[in-house]
Amino acid sequence: LQDEALLRLLYEEARGRVLGGATPDPPEGTELGALSARLRLGPFRGGHHSPATLRPLLRELLPPPRGRGGLWGVLLRRGPGPPPEQELLEAFARTPGPQEPPAELLRAFLRRCHRLPGYGCAFFPGAIERPPGGLLGRGGLLPVSVAVGLEGVTIIDPREKQVLLSLSYPELSWELVGAVGQEGAEGGQEGAEGAQPPQLWLEFDGEHEGAPVNRLLRVFSPQAELMSALIECCIELGAGPGRGPAWPRPSESAPVQRQESVTRPRLQRLATIDYVRDGQELRRVKPPRRSASFFGRGGGSGTETG
């Protein structure tokens, strides 16, 4: 893209999403802020720019800090490192000099944004079950944002601005449960009260005591049907015209592809069901054994999970 006006529009859209907290708190947040400072203030000048000149602009240059608000949030966010305006100044000093055209700065900002989790995705509200534990020994539901895009599905804690789970389409199978009109779903007004919202079940690889297992994560959301449809649409778009699906759809006899990204995020914050296949019956893991996916949709009908 060469048109600087279009690049500027894309930059403003991406910058607004980052500053609005639509994406998780990026580790490159300071670098993104420095590029914004370079575009706004011009090339860095050591005798002119200082932490004091950047401090009033922090809200316009840096994404909001993650975590809780109030006194506890301030105490938890305060670390031994330098203040944000000092870090921003140091990153600003590393930005290109006056010879760099604005269009290249805009492209650099957009390239960094493309690597952010959830960038270019559709976001859906949802909730997942918390694992039991903590001071009160209770689980409950954790509100999450579900980002669905061309590459995969990401589960985000919108309050802490953290990625809880990120799965590419070769790494997952999915199933929609409880949608209106679906076989076995509640119909009409009878029984509607107290009924659970539709659920999107995600299946992916994990480990239990060092052995590979399959994991199930249940996402409650009134928009679960939209999520499922968009996942299928993204997989078909990735296939392109005249070709098969870009992502493999695991059969019941083939294991879901195992990749590192499903084990890196904060899995201890997810209440998942670990299972293996014992003959034709599914059971909890003990002892751990490898199993095949029992969802037909990967990368669409599955058998019952319960």
Side-chain angles (χ1 to χ4, degrees):
L1 184 60
Q2 301 298 323
D3 192 320
E4 186 175 327
L6 291 179
L7 285 170
R8 178 73 64 171
L9 287 174
L10 292 172
Y11 160 77
E12 292 293 346
E13 189 273 340
R15 175 174 165 270
R17 292 185 66 85
V18 171
L19 295 180
T23 60
D25 192 6
E28 295 181 322
T30 302
E31 300 296 330
L32 289 171
L35 285 170
S36 291
R38 170 67 176 80
L39 286 162
R40 176 168 178 166
L41 304 176
F44 175 78
R45 290 180 287 165
H48 179 72
H49 297 118
S50 67
T53 60
L54 295 180
R55 192 175 298 117
L57 303 176
L58 289 181
R59 288 182 176 271
E60 302 174 39
L61 298 175
L62 294 179
R66 67 188 180 192
R68 301 170 179 84
L71 177 60
W72 278 109
V74 173
L75 293 176
L76 289 172
R77 290 195 298 267
R78 183 176 297 169
E85 59 268 23
Q86 181 62 42
E87 291 184 340
L88 181 60
L89 182 71
E90 294 171 2
F92 184 19
R94 296 192 296 269
T95 57
Q99 74 284 354
E100 192 78 356
E104 287 302 317
L105 297 172
L106 295 170
R107 290 192 189 95
F109 187 95
L110 291 172
R111 280 195 295 268
R112 289 182 179 272
C113 286
H114 289 165
R115 298 196 292 266
L116 297 179
Y119 184 82
C121 293
F123 285 79
F124 300 91
I128 61 175
E129 294 167 303
R130 301 177 189 263
L135 294 176
L136 300 178
R138 294 185 299 185
L141 293 179
L142 172 69
V144 296
S145 293
V146 182
V148 180
L150 288 173
E151 300 297 325
V153 179
T154 301
I155 307 294
I156 299 169
D157 183 340
R159 184 173 184 180
E160 298 293 335
K161 296 181 174 60
Q162 293 178 337
V163 175
L164 301 178
L165 182 68
S166 184
L167 298 167
S168 65
Y169 289 124
E171 297 170 325
L172 69 87
S173 298
W174 87 99
E175 189 66 36
L176 176 67
V177 177
V180 176
Q182 190 178 41
E183 186 177 352
E186 295 283 350
Q189 297 296 322
E190 297 183 8
E193 294 185 7
Q196 291 181 332
Q199 305 157 29
L200 185 73
W201 287 79
L202 301 177
E203 180 190 30
F204 56 96
D205 277 6
E207 287 188 357
H208 178 85
E209 299 179 354
V213 298
N214 287 50
R215 282 183 165 165
L216 297 175
L217 177 67
R218 177 166 54 172
V219 181
F220 299 92
S221 174
Q223 296 182 344
E225 193 168 3
L226 289 176
M227 284 190 270
S228 178
L230 185 56
I231 290 173
E232 192 156 9
C233 180
C234 288
I235 292 173
E236 295 300 328
L237 285 174
R243 296 180 298 180
W247 311 117
R249 299 183 177 224
S251 66
E252 292 196 17
S253 59
V256 180
Q257 279 194 0
R258 182 172 188 76
Q259 298 190 22
E260 286 298 321
S261 64
V262 300
T263 61
R264 282 200 298 267
R266 300 163 176 83
L267 289 176
Q268 69 274 14
R269 297 180 59 187
L270 305 179
T272 60
I273 299 172
D274 296 352
Y275 76 90
V276 294
R277 185 180 295 276
D278 183 13
Q280 294 301 315
E281 295 184 4
L282 299 175
R283 59 181 176 82
R284 293 296 181 101
V285 178
K286 192 176 181 181
R289 293 173 56 193
R290 191 65 178 96
S291 117
S293 168
F294 65 94
F295 286 164
R297 309 177 75 172
S301 58
T303 61
E304 294 181 354
T305 61

